[in-house]
Amino acid sequence: MTAASPVLVFLDPAHPEGRIADAGQPQLMATDLGATRGDGVFESLLAVDGRPRKLQAHLDRLARSAATMELDIPPAADWRAAIATAVAAHPAAEELVIKLLVTRGVEGAGRPTCWVSAALPGPAGRVQRENGIDVLLLDRGYDSTIAERAPWLLMGAKTLSYAVNMAALRYAHEHGADDVIFLSSDGKVLEGPTSTVLLAHIEDGVKRLITPQLDTGILPGTTQGALFAAARNAGWELGYGPLEPEDLLDADAVWLVSSIRLLARVNHIDGKPIGKDPALAQELTRELAAMLAEEDGI
Ligand code: PLP
């Protein structure tokens, strides 16, 4: 195995610590419903110096996503064991991307296929963390009340069906931007294809950190959750949408936050610069990045 190969560990009742599999060999049946229908759920998290970050929050969200789609998955202890095996089997690295994957399993088997992968992150995330990003506002194609009306759309679950999210990113790249903020058809700010939107407003020395409200059907972000807890302890006020594009354009700073890239400052939205005072936006970015760096790895 070369240093760059991902490590795969399948959850397998015959192997309580997980079964290591060769990422260079076929490992899934062609009839697995994950492959044939994109039917499954996943998580992506970061391990720093071998320590998975916010692990319980990711395991909790995996369990919630699975329950939303009536998937019966192994208990958290089995995932923790497989993650430990994967991290130990990967050559040491400052950062590793850990993925937890569940599919509905091979057609007819009635048992999910579950595995963990550990791999080095791509270079783009680190560059974007340091330099910030330009984003486009794109229509997500449904309104902000859909989650309540249509539970079968699995809003708020982290399903394997990310083809639309990836297509939106490709559209952004083809149009000179790095990333996307989705809007609902009634004009509310939702989320990025792989991230949560945060914005800051500073008024009379009071710092307010704001994110769209969850009942729009967005994914509850573990990074947003961790940052909100840390910011509250540091004296920030917290707020939840509804947010519209004007709120982003008026903000002192806007970020897309997620577990792997962490905090990426938004420099432009649809070509318009964000934040009247670049030095202030820079300072706020540093402050929030320091909070994320300190966040406990358990
Ligand atoms: N929203 C979506 C659609 C995502 O895919 C992700 C992460 O991949 C997030 C938000 C951010 O979630 P987290 O901070 O837990 O990584």
Side-chain angles (χ1 to χ4, degrees):
M1 189 189 297
T2 68
S5 312
V7 170
L8 299 184
V9 178
F10 279 77
L11 277 71
D12 180 338
H15 299 260
E17 302 306 315
R19 172 175 51 81
I20 294 184
D22 183 349
Q25 294 297 319
Q27 299 293 347
L28 280 186
M29 297 281 281
T31 51
D32 192 292
L33 289 162
T36 57
R37 290 194 176 147
D39 195 351
V41 294
F42 78 108
E43 282 294 323
S44 297
L45 59 119
L46 194 66
V48 177
D49 297 328
R51 279 163 57 89
R53 310 187 82 210
K54 305 187 263 81
L55 180 51
Q56 192 57 49
H58 286 283
L59 290 171
D60 289 346
R61 190 170 63 189
L62 185 73
R64 278 200 307 276
S65 296
T68 304
M69 28 210 295
E70 296 169 40
L71 261 173
D72 203 8
I73 65 167
D78 295 13
W79 289 101
R80 283 182 176 271
I83 292 165
T85 300
V87 170
H90 196 286
E94 188 190 344
E95 291 191 353
L96 280 179
V97 177
I98 310 292
K99 291 196 177 175
L100 317 181
L101 294 121
V102 178
T103 78
R104 200 172 292 280
V106 174
E107 241 168 273
R111 163 167 42 86
T113 309
C114 302
W115 73 100
V116 170
S117 72
L120 295 173
R126 194 176 276 260
V127 172
Q128 294 184 351
R129 247 185 237 168
E130 278 156 22
N131 299 344
I133 51 180
D134 292 341
V135 312
L136 297 184
L137 297 175
L138 297 184
D139 187 352
R140 187 66 183 82
Y142 45 65
D143 71 67
S144 60
T145 64
I146 193 80
E148 202 183 328
R149 286 202 322 278
W152 56 88
L153 292 183
L154 307 174
M155 305 300 293
K158 197 165 167 65
T159 75
L160 283 177
S161 309
Y162 262 51
V164 167
N165 304 40
M166 296 300 108
L169 282 178
R170 284 195 300 276
Y171 183 93
H173 297 160
E174 281 157 18
H175 291 80
D178 305 296
D179 214 317
V180 169
I181 294 178
F182 283 127
L183 298 181
S184 62
S185 54
D186 51 339
K188 304 288 184 259
V189 174
L190 296 174
E191 62 188 344
T194 63
S195 58
T196 308
V197 177
L198 290 191
L199 62 86
H201 271 292
I202 315 300
E203 225 178 293
D204 301 329
V206 177
K207 296 174 186 163
R208 254 174 93 73
L209 194 58
I210 306 167
T211 194
Q213 84 280 24
L214 288 178
D215 61 12
T216 50
I218 59 175
L219 188 76
T222 61
T223 313
Q224 173 269 322
L227 258 181
F228 263 41
R232 188 197 293 110
N233 288 339
W236 288 59
E237 285 189 3
L238 306 178
Y240 294 86
L243 298 173
E244 299 193 346
E246 281 309 304
D247 299 307
L248 300 173
L249 300 174
D250 283 352
D252 288 301
V254 175
W255 302 273
L256 292 185
V257 303
S258 53
S259 296
I260 310 300
R261 189 174 58 188
L262 302 175
L263 185 75
R265 186 183 150 207
V266 175
N267 295 323
H268 296 89
I269 296 180
D270 289 348
K272 298 180 196 99
I274 300 303
K276 281 144 263 161
D277 179 351
L280 173 63
Q282 192 64 38
E283 188 192 314
L284 296 170
T285 303
R286 264 199 298 272
E287 188 176 343
L288 292 178
M291 288 180 202
L292 265 188
E294 277 167 24
E295 166 229 324
D296 191 2
I298 302 300

